[in-house]
Amino acid sequence: MHSPSIKRRLCVAAIAASLCSVAPLMAQQSEDAEQSAEQRKNVILIIGDGMDDQQITIARNYLKGARGKLLMDQLPLRSVSQILTQDDEAPSKPVYVADSANSATSMATGISTSRGRIATSAGENRDLVTIAELAKQAGYATGIVTTASVTDATPASFIAHTASRGCENPNVMKPFEDSPRWLDPTACEADRVTNGGPGSISRQIALGNHDVILGGGQKHFSPIAEESKKSVSELAQNNGYRIVTDQQGLLDVQSSALVEDKILGLFSPSTMPTQWQGEDGRSAEKPEPSLLNMIDWRLGSVELPSTMICEDNPSFDGIPRLKQMTDIAIEQLWKRSQQGFFLMIESASIDKQSHKRNPCGSIGEVEQLEEALASALKFAEQEPNTLILVTADHGQAAQLIPAPSMFKSIGVPVYTPGHVARIITPENQVLSVNYATNDFPSEEHTGTNVPLFSNDVGLGKVPPMVTQPEIFELMKNHLFD
Ligand SMILES: [Zn+2]
């Protein structure tokens, strides 16, 4: 990506001084603002992508020990969310496993759609109004924070509308030219500007009016925009976005952004690197049966992958943590509307690392989500009318399996047909994480329901079980009732 020229504004005016302070948010709160805190309504939706109960349990065991509790475990309300997905060709029929596009669309719009769709309806391809759009129209500030590209399926479903999640930037909008192999070359046809569509997801974000958007995805903003001589980042700047691309830029924004500035933070070319990786970059591996065992499953032996520790990922150096992005987003949104705000925070690589069979990457992302949740809860202590929901969009492949096998005493080699990572935990025990949805380089999602947690604001409002589109209703009711 070329370096966008960042428009810097100095905080000189007395009026601006209070807005430019780096002091803690609530320290600046004026008497008026304190009075209005009771009337302000905020929604913070935290999505762990792929964070089903297997992922949570694996992370809990590693981060807190088998008897420990995560912060999300200590929230006063725990419900469950049933994922709904429709068949695109026969929209009234269900499909039992989702992707992030349709599941995020359920939460963003209250309408169940088909896989791959970004806030558009199954079959008829109609734009669906999102909670972020409703909030913005009604005077709330709106923000998105993610460790994925900001154009990725989960964030995009709140702030864009396309028939396919693949329509992330202008280059892939041109059929048959630069489309990635996995993307149907006609998938973005209806959304092309020349066909009267809204253009790529990055273009829609650049021309949109959401206040704070932070995450990865620089590469989707550097191409020349559709039907324009300007890059997508230039369109964003012309539309009032301050673009920041590193830690320092983020700190500058924190100290100097004016309320009329919109903020677009793009901190990596694509998905932001995870904080942890497997030892020496290893992920789960396949057990190796002996020749005799390959001839007869009752004979011979099997060699399991060697154990490993989780280690720091060197690529994470200099990358903002999800907590830092969350803190700055909350502070900036709080300044921008006396009415309150809607903020979606996504820890994306619980899912992405599970596709890659890397439990250390996923565990580190759950830890990042926990830190962001701590920030949200701290804010809610001072803004009590803040509904915090923590959930996942869909299930993922990782399974916690016995180490050693429960059938070890029978005396025959028993092992997974999939890939397994045997992680040494801080309790010095083996945590055996299995991936076996397929033999393809990328694992698949699974169709389990996922947890839905809430802070005390959700008590009496969040039922014991919801379908995923009902999460939209919960958020809408909080902001508008
Ligand atoms: Zn996924």
Side-chain angles (χ1 to χ4, degrees), residues 426-438:
E427 295 172 311
N428 208 24
Q429 287 290 90
V430 176
L431 183 72
S432 202
V433 183
N434 188 57
Y435 299 85
T437 61
N438 64 29

Side-chain angles (χ1 to χ4, degrees), residues 351 355 394 396 445:
D351 168 83
H355 282 298
H394 55 71
Q396 248 292 359
H445 301 164

Side-chain angles (χ1 to χ4, degrees), residues 108-159:
T109 72
I111 295 173
S112 168
T113 189
S114 57
R115 285 205 302 237
R117 286 193 169 277
I118 301 295
T120 54
S121 63
E124 56 186 351
N125 193 28
R126 182 170 47 88
D127 284 2
L128 304 171
V129 179
T130 75
I131 185 74
E133 290 164 347
L134 285 176
K136 177 46 84 179
Q137 280 161 15
Y140 290 94
T142 51
I144 297 288
V145 171
T146 179
T147 56
S149 294
V150 299
T151 51
D152 200 35
T154 304
S157 296
F158 289 82
I159 53 177

Side-chain angles (χ1 to χ4, degrees), residues 154-395:
T154 304
S157 296
F158 289 82
I159 53 177
H161 305 269
T162 55
S164 168
R165 60 183 292 169
C167 312
E168 285 184 85
N169 67 60
N171 290 345
V172 294
M173 302 303 285
K174 304 169 203 157
F176 306 107
E177 289 176 23
D178 301 316
S179 299
R181 249 177 51 193
W182 57 268
L183 180 64
D184 170 358
T186 61
C188 304
E189 194 68 18
D191 293 308
R192 292 179 73 189
V193 176
T194 46
N195 291 339
S200 61
I201 294 168
S202 62
R203 181 181 185 273
Q204 292 183 47
I205 292 172
L207 297 178
N209 59 357
H210 299 288
D211 299 281
V212 180
I213 297 172
L214 305 175
Q218 291 162 358
K219 71 176 185 184
H220 300 296
F221 289 81
S222 52
I224 297 299
E226 301 99 304
E227 305 305 307
S228 172
K229 290 194 166 59
K230 294 189 163 66
S231 69
V232 184
S233 348
E234 286 169 319
L235 289 192
Q237 283 174 301
N238 292 348
N239 184 32
Y241 276 103
R242 278 182 62 168
I243 300 180
V244 294
T245 55
D246 56 24
Q247 283 263 15
Q248 190 53 51
L250 193 55
L251 293 170
D252 287 349
V253 153
Q254 187 181 22
S255 61
S256 67
L258 303 179
V259 285
E260 60 267 30
D261 288 333
K262 292 180 285 192
I263 302 165
L264 177 58
L266 303 168
F267 304 105
S268 60
S270 183
T271 305
M272 294 168 78
T274 55
Q275 61 167 337
W276 292 343
Q277 63 178 17
E279 191 170 352
D280 299 326
R282 286 172 60 203
S283 50
E285 294 143 349
K286 280 208 155 185
E288 289 184 10
S290 65
L291 191 57
L292 198 54
N293 183 262
M294 284 193 262
I295 294 166
D296 188 322
W297 65 272
R298 292 160 295 192
L299 304 175
S301 60
V302 63
E303 193 176 334
L304 294 176
S306 57
T307 57
M308 66 167 107
I309 57 164
C310 293
E311 63 182 25
D312 289 342
N313 176 7
S315 306
F316 191 67
D317 280 355
I319 297 292
R321 296 189 73 80
L322 186 60
K323 174 188 166 27
Q324 186 186 5
M325 294 194 290
T326 297
D327 286 339
I328 289 174
I330 288 175
E331 182 178 334
Q332 294 296 324
L333 293 173
W334 182 84
K335 286 176 180 174
R336 277 164 173 72
S337 171
Q338 287 291 311
Q339 202 167 324
F341 63 77
F342 168 80
L343 172 62
M344 193 286 291
I345 301 164
E346 183 201 23
S347 182
S349 286
I350 302 165
D351 168 83
K352 293 184 188 302
Q353 293 293 303
S354 201
H355 282 298
K356 294 180 177 174
R357 308 182 173 110
N358 179 9
C360 293
S362 296
I363 294 167
E365 283 278 291
V366 174
E367 187 181 58
Q368 289 231 59
L369 181 145
E370 287 270 292
E371 293 173 1
L373 171 58
S375 289
L377 288 168
K378 195 170 168 206
F379 173 75
E381 277 174 23
Q382 295 162 80
E383 287 263 351
N385 213 350
T386 301
L387 173 65
I388 300 174
L389 298 174
V390 183
T391 191
D393 48 357
H394 55 71

